[in-house]
């Protein structure tokens, strides 16, 4: 028994941390379900031009507010447009906003967090106070304020969402850097005269990425919700863009007479966010050694 455990430990070390994390991730059925949901929406977004039965702005007023049928799977809206086609293209927009806003937050937040954690002193004080001020506001309220200044549009909504999430990644990286920079290999690198830039981007940053990946996955779900909220308020995507939040806003007056106009965009938002949350929980369990047995 002891020999078998030793062999398992040796094999795990030889496999590497990322392969071990993947093996751990695969063991969770719930996480795989979340990854499957996300993968399905990504495929639908990529293949939307091939799958969509009609154009997203193709109007037919004689077919307005038609219930789901064989011709229109999700029914039609108040302009007679096919809701299924618009939901498919809406996946493109929501995923685009989610991914790129989070990438922007990670890049800026990681840079600020590394500088604050590594150099400390007045650099840490200034950056940390900026993060504290931003976190003092509710995220959606801060996003609304930024879009109000920049002007309502999908691009400005993406920028606002990216700015709102910067402190989350900055503080996460800062805390990780504070612990890593005390390690012996960092002290040795400084002793042999290695430049700060090389230490930061070759040693500290790669060893800080695990929690960022987890937080980034969960942040995509949050970004999709925030984009939908801004679209619902008229501050995000503008008509006739088929963004899910904007579709909900346009359909709210038909909730009683034509509920399908709101149900299907709402389900799309719910499933996408659920998929990213389930996948993020699985990644957290796989990448965080404290969560392992």
């Amino acid at each position: 028994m002891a020999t078998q455990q030793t062999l398992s430990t040796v094999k795990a070390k030889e496999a590497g941390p990322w392969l071990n994390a993947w093996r751990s991730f695969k063991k969770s059925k719930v996480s795989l379900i979340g990854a499957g949901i996300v993968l399905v929406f990504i495929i639908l977004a990529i293949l939307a031009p091939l799958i969509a039965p009609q154009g997203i702005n193709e109007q037919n007023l004689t077919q307005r507010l038609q219930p789901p049928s064989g011709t229109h799977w999700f029914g039609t809206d108040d302009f007679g447009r096919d809701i299924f086609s618009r939901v498919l293209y809406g996946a493109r927009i929501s995923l685009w906003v989610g991914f790129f806003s989070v990438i922007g937050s990670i890049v800026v937040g990681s840079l600020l967090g590394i500088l604050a954690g590594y150099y400390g002193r007045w650099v840490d004080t200034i950056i940390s106070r900026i993060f504290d001020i931003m976190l003092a506001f509710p995220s959606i309220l801060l996003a609304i304020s930024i879009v109000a200044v920049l002007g309502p549009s999908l691009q400005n909504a993406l920028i606002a969402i990216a700015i709102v999430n910067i402190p989350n990644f900055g503080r996460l990286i800062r805390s990780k850097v504070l612990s890593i920079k005390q390690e012996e290999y960092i002290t040795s690198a400084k002793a042999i005269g290695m430049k700060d830039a090389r230490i930061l981007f070759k040693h500290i940053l790669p060893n800080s990425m695990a929690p960022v990946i987890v937080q980034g996955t969960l942040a995509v779900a949050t970004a999709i919700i925030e984009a939908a909220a801004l679209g619902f308020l008229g501050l995000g995507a503008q008509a006739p863009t088929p963004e899910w939040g904007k579709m909900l806003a346009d359909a709210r007056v038909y909730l009683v007479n034509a509920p399908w106009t709101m149900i299907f965009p709402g389900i799309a938002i719910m499933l996408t966010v659920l998929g990213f949350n389930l996948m993020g929980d699985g990644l957290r369990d796989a990448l965080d050694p404290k969560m392992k047995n």
Side-chain angles (χ1 to χ4, degrees), residues 228 231-234 243-254 262:
F232 186 85
L233 295 173
E243 193 271 328
W244 291 338
K246 180 60 177 174
M247 292 175 66
L248 289 176
D250 295 338
R252 67 184 185 275
V253 296
Y254 304 106
M262 290 192 69

